[in-house]
Amino acid sequence: MSRIVTYFIPCPVCKMPSEQRIYHSINTSIDNAAQLILDDKINFVDCKLCNNKFQVKAGLLFNNMVKTYAVYYHPTTFALHEKETVGIKKMFGDNFYLANATKFHDWSDFKAEIARKEGKVASVNLRDTPKKAPGSTMKSFLDNYWSCDICDGNSETGCLYFDPSECPRTN
Amino acid sequence: MVNFFRKRATEKGIQTCPHCGEEDILFGLGGKCLECGQPIPRNDKYLSLEFAIESFTEFFVKYDKIFSPAQKANPIKFLLQLCKDYSLLDPIPNSKIIQLQSIVKNVGRIGGEEIGGVIVMTNGNPTLQVAKNFNGMHGDPIDNMKSLGGVIVAMQYILSYPVKNEFVIDTDFPAVAKGKTRSEPTPAKGGCLKRTATFFLVLLLLSIIIYFV
């Protein structure tokens, strides 16, 4: 189940309010849910009048029931999520994954965490990233980036298989 | 309305026009002196926004005769809350300014004969339509024109205030204007049990009818 709320949201450019469906939670029962988040297709809306694309920053819980992890994003506060977490802990115990979601205020960090857990590369929003001087290490970092869905390792952590020499991927 | 401008401008630090020496009751919003029309220095951006919001709210609440009290209720609630909640120490969030700009831009027509005219939003810009019937006007006509001019400048200032290209919803279950919460199950993949059952049911009914006929 995904929680979707319909709002009348004014466009920051033309100021015309329009009805928009905003996700407050999304899970992997929706096809490519993680990829949709990584591609900035969740809670990014297009103004029907002026075609301006803008982000609606709202609390969003990403729940991967298969890999049993959850990541939460909210631009300003975690208070509401923490209130919900109390109820979840009462029902399912302190160690239940939904009660221990990793929380982020920053959308890029939220996406990076999902990309890390899913073993994917998040799309980089050029408007959000500071401009780098020519010859920056960003491109080389992305070129050399890898992640493994067997051991959850990536180019930063290295292979996390209990004995890297026996890793099924390299063998 | 002129007295309101003067009072609010004095509270925020009124300046005198360097050309004619008159007090600038519009707090430098339009960049021009209301008396002599000469350029005047603008004030702090945020203080000016506060002044513009207070002026627009005052006009909308007290002098507008076009909107009915029921139509006004929601925008006025939002505007008064904005005036009450925020100060220099707690600046107005980007999304509130966008909502405010949306109200101002979509206001259509505000004013009335008593104040001497109507402000009409034309292609996103406020313009003045002076009342034809001066008999209905209350107070000094010059003061009324200054008031309407001041409100137009305030509206222009609000509309041109820079905002980020994003909208923040603070809570998880807010009511910005309309909140319909809906939990959506994933659409069923494949599966035609319902349709098959309906088909056989119809077939059975038809067989029974044919049998009896």
Side-chain angles (χ1 to χ4, degrees):
Chain A
M1 303 281 260
S2 297
R3 191 189 298 148
I4 302 169
V5 182
T6 306
Y7 298 100
F8 269 119
I9 296 173
C11 166
V13 174
C14 71
K15 326 293 179 198
M16 284 305 288
S18 61
E19 210 173 67
Q20 303 290 356
R21 284 155 51 86
I22 300 302
Y23 282 85
H24 283 295
S25 79
I26 183 166
N27 62 32
T28 42
S29 64
I30 289 177
D31 286 341
N32 292 327
Q35 197 58 49
L36 289 172
I37 292 173
L38 299 180
D39 292 345
D40 288 341
K41 292 197 173 146
I42 296 293
N43 293 353
F44 277 76
V45 299
D46 286 305
C47 174
K48 284 163 195 156
L49 209 76
C50 69
N51 294 326
N52 172 42
K53 185 182 180 184
F54 62 99
Q55 185 183 12
V56 178
K57 292 185 168 179
L60 177 67
L61 179 77
F62 174 70
N63 172 16
N64 189 328
M65 302 98 80
V66 182
K67 293 187 179 178
T68 59
Y69 75 87
V71 190
Y72 182 72
Y73 165 78
H74 198 290
T76 53
T77 173
F78 298 137
L80 266 162
H81 180 68
E82 275 157 13
K83 210 181 262 183
E84 278 192 352
T85 306
V86 174
I88 293 170
K89 279 184 179 170
K90 270 183 195 168
M91 276 195 283
F92 302 105
D94 286 355
N95 295 326
F96 188 59
Y97 76 96
L98 269 179
N100 297 299
T102 325
K103 303 181 195 85
F104 295 98
H105 283 310
D106 185 84
W107 180 254
S108 305
D109 293 344
F110 171 74
K111 284 202 308 182
E113 178 68 3
I114 294 173
R116 194 179 68 78
K117 298 254 188 187
E118 296 288 325
K120 291 175 178 173
V121 179
S123 67
V124 180
N125 189 343
L126 293 173
R127 281 176 300 182
D128 292 348
T129 46
K131 282 183 183 167
K132 297 260 178 183
S136 79
T137 54
M138 183 56 121
K139 193 176 181 301
S140 59
F141 170 77
L142 290 173
D143 287 343
N144 297 323
Y145 182 82
W146 61 267
S147 65
C148 174
D149 53 2
I150 297 171
C151 66
D152 274 343
N154 60 34
S155 51
E156 278 181 6
T157 60
C159 180
L160 297 177
Y161 202 72
F162 60 91
D163 183 355
S165 62
E166 284 183 18
C167 174
R169 182 140 291 190
T170 51
N171 294 325
Chain B
M1 194 73 200
V2 169
N3 290 336
F4 175 86
F5 285 144
R6 185 168 286 113
K7 191 181 162 204
R8 283 284 184 266
T10 308
E11 279 171 10
K12 292 183 198 308
I14 198 163
Q15 59 180 340
T16 49
C17 172
H19 305 283
C20 65
E22 286 289 323
E23 281 184 327
D24 172 36
I25 58 164
L26 288 187
F27 202 59
L29 274 194
K32 280 180 184 176
C33 172
L34 198 61
E35 300 294 332
C36 64
Q38 293 293 314
I40 202 163
R42 286 205 161 172
N43 279 296
D44 171 79
K45 197 173 111 181
Y46 192 77
L47 272 179
S48 300
L49 178 68
E50 269 189 3
F51 182 84
I53 295 171
E54 287 163 357
S55 305
F56 177 73
T57 308
E58 174 80 0
F59 184 77
F60 193 47
V61 172
K62 290 191 181 164
Y63 298 95
D64 171 66
K65 303 291 172 206
I66 293 175
F67 284 79
S68 70
Q71 285 173 315
K72 275 187 186 184
N74 275 336
I76 285 177
K77 195 176 162 194
F78 173 81
L79 290 166
L80 292 176
Q81 198 69 36
L82 211 58
C83 295
K84 190 181 150 198
D85 284 357
Y86 299 99
S87 65
L88 264 181
L89 298 173
D90 189 12
I92 304 174
N94 186 61
S95 306
K96 296 275 180 199
I97 299 175
I98 296 172
Q99 277 177 275
L100 168 73
Q101 289 176 331
S102 179
I103 289 174
V104 172
K105 193 162 183 180
N106 297 303
V107 79
R109 292 160 61 85
I110 48 167
E113 283 196 352
E114 286 178 21
I115 190 81
V118 175
I119 298 168
V120 186
M121 288 302 293
T122 320
N123 299 327
N125 288 313
T127 49
L128 179 63
Q129 270 183 9
V130 182
K132 285 173 188 166
N133 180 13
F134 278 88
N135 297 332
M137 200 190 294
H138 290 189
D140 179 22
I142 302 292
D143 276 359
N144 285 347
M145 288 305 118
K146 279 184 187 174
S147 305
L148 288 163
V151 175
I152 286 177
V153 170
M155 288 166 81
Q156 283 169 341
Y157 191 85
I158 291 169
L159 288 172
S160 62
Y161 198 82
V163 286
K164 287 187 203 162
N165 192 28
E166 62 183 37
F167 191 88
V168 177
I169 295 170
D170 277 338
T171 58
D172 274 357
F173 311 102
V176 172
K178 175 187 184 182
K180 282 188 221 157
T181 307
R182 186 160 65 186
S183 291
E184 288 200 347
T186 318
K189 288 172 189 164
C192 52
L193 186 67
K194 226 180 205 176
R195 265 183 288 167
T196 316
T198 317
F199 174 73
F200 279 111
L201 196 71
V202 171
L203 207 66
L204 185 72
L205 281 170
L206 281 173
S207 320
I208 294 167
I209 292 164
I210 291 165
Y211 178 78
F212 282 108
V213 170

